[in-house]
Amino acid sequence: MVAQAHNLAVIINNAPTKQRSNDSKKSVEISGVLQTTLDLNEMLELFDKQIHDLIPHDGYTFVNDELNLTISEGDQKHHGCHYKLVVADQELGSISLRRRTRFKKQETSKFENLLTALIYPLRNALLYHQALLSARTDNLTGVFNRTALDDSLNHEFELARRQKMPLSAIMVDIDHFKLINDTHGHLVGDVVLASFAECIKTVTRKSDIVFRYGGEEFVIILSNTSLEGAALLSERIRKAVELVKFDAITEDLNITASFGVAGLKNQEVPGKLLERVDQAMYSAKQNGRNRVSVVH
């Protein structure tokens, strides 16, 4: 189902001073609460709290494919109600509620009414998110930059602690990258960096976060991933990198990479995790390159 913006606006803007509809009153109240933040995660959490007692549920999921966004909280049970959100012919994404038992028609109708409170603040939050994304993205490779790493790592760290999930990191460095620049030129070096980043994105999951750490070094943060899982992923990326071809620009160029892998330990701070994964990557370099080194 689609929540159309022009219909929703009529419900909000043309409402009488004394609301006859409890849903309309609540919608206006929720809208005021949501306008206190532009942070997308915080806004969805606020919306969830506001509607939870009115429509009991175990979890929610918001998805925006254009921005590669999936935000989930709570338990994703079997039964759900799902809505596509559209404003002025612009798709904002979709939202769904999940729980153990089937949703009744009166509950889905109530949810439709309450979505009027979300749609405009959500549009503003998505615009803000896009602006932040642009400032936190490396222009050459299209992955996140180092500025974004600290915030993302702290967020994933808090999430792992709160939900008692494993958190792992990979640091990867293109082998002999200076030689590539010296032999083939910096323009070819830029193509190598962009192709390398694309290779990583092709192998990793949507939930894995890739950063250009500096120069030819990249960091991958893996939520809900064990040390063993991170090591297996590193090996898959390593093999994929060996297969990358640059025949369109030069025939004698192949690349390899060295990987360091570490998992978050109990009582460890995020900075220490990066320290250990850097040490593991350095060990891979020292031991012959084109290999994965895991630190326990």
Side-chain angles (χ1 to χ4, degrees), residues 63-79:
V63 176
N64 182 301
D65 290 329
E66 184 181 352
L67 296 177
N68 196 27
L69 272 173
T70 299
I71 301 173
S72 292
E73 287 291 340
D75 296 326
Q76 303 302 307
K77 300 299 183 181
H78 179 69
H79 293 285

Side-chain angles (χ1 to χ4, degrees), residues 52 56-61 72-81 96-103:
H52 192 273
H57 56 279
D58 297 306
Y60 68 87
T61 298
S72 292
E73 287 291 340
D75 296 326
Q76 303 302 307
K77 300 299 183 181
H78 179 69
H79 293 285
C81 58
S96 58
L97 302 182
R98 310 290 300 185
R99 73 181 185 192
R100 298 177 182 85
T101 57
R102 191 181 300 275
F103 287 87

Side-chain angles (χ1 to χ4, degrees), residues 220-237:
I220 311 169
I221 303 300
L222 310 168
S223 63
N224 197 21
T225 303
S226 66
L227 183 64
E228 292 76 13
L232 288 172
L233 176 61
S234 296
E235 187 60 29
R236 288 202 299 272
I237 298 173

Side-chain angles (χ1 to χ4, degrees), residues 20-36:
R20 294 185 179 182
S21 166
N22 289 333
D23 288 350
S24 295
K25 288 180 181 179
K26 187 63 178 176
S27 179
V28 173
E29 177 187 327
I30 294 173
S31 181
V33 172
L34 299 185
Q35 290 176 38
T36 61

Side-chain angles (χ1 to χ4, degrees), residues 168-269:
S168 297
I170 300 169
M171 185 172 287
V172 51
D173 184 271
I174 301 173
D175 295 328
H176 303 296
F177 184 71
K178 184 179 184 302
L179 182 61
I180 294 172
N181 275 336
D182 292 344
T183 304
H184 300 280
H186 288 277
L187 289 178
V188 172
D190 286 350
V191 172
V192 168
L193 286 168
S195 300
F196 182 72
E198 188 60 35
C199 180
I200 293 176
K201 289 189 287 185
T202 300
V203 179
T204 52
R205 307 166 299 179
K206 278 189 175 183
S207 59
D208 301 330
I209 316 174
V210 185
F211 306 85
R212 186 179 177 190
Y213 190 62
E216 67 274 22
E217 290 183 349
F218 293 77
V219 170
I220 311 169
I221 303 300
L222 310 168
S223 63
N224 197 21
T225 303
S226 66
L227 183 64
E228 292 76 13
L232 288 172
L233 176 61
S234 296
E235 187 60 29
R236 288 202 299 272
I237 298 173
R238 189 192 68 78
K239 291 178 179 178
V241 167
E242 288 183 318
L243 299 176
V244 175
K245 301 296 182 184
F246 300 94
D247 295 343
I249 53 174
T250 180
E251 295 180 358
D252 60 341
L253 177 59
N254 297 98
I255 61 172
T256 61
S258 301
F259 297 76
V261 184
L264 186 68
K265 292 183 176 182
N266 289 333
Q267 309 305 317
E268 187 174 52
V269 296

Side-chain angles (χ1 to χ4, degrees), residues 47 204 278:
F47 182 68
T204 52
D278 182 50

